[in-house]
């Protein structure tokens, strides 16, 4: 899916991509790119608790086996 204003972080030889703007709506999907197998895995159904609301221009950090999303623009 086309997107802009998303975030990407690296953690344990994997890249995580979250959210952004599709050109029509804000997104809150999470995907992982495995640098070893060179493959994408959607992770939106595997998050602990409630996922963040759809957003763009957010902050995102990774550390100690976790990825955190904070702030951003939700269109409201």
């Amino acid at each position: 899916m086309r997107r802009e204003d998303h975030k990407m972080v690296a953690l344990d030889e994997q890249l995580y991509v979250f959210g952004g703007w599709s050109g029509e709506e804000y997104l809150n999907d999470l995907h992982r790119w495995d640098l070893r197998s060179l493959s994408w895995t959607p992770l939106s159904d595997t998050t602990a608790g409630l996922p963040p609301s759809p957003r763009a221009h957010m902050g995102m950090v990774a550390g100690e086996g976790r990825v955190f999303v904070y702030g951003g623009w939700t269109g409201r």
Side-chain angles (χ1 to χ4, degrees), residues 11-17 30-35 39-43 46:
L11 178 67
D12 300 329
E13 297 188 32
Q14 299 176 356
L15 300 176
Y16 292 84
V17 176
L30 177 65
H31 300 272
R32 178 180 62 213
W33 175 254
D34 189 298
L35 296 169
S39 63
W40 285 105
T41 303
L43 299 175
T46 62

Side-chain angles (χ1 to χ4, degrees), residues 49-73:
L50 295 174
S53 60
R55 63 190 61 222
H57 300 288
M58 71 300 257
M60 190 164 148
V61 296
E64 297 185 20
R66 293 178 162 209
V67 174
F68 297 91
V69 174
Y70 56 94
W73 177 253

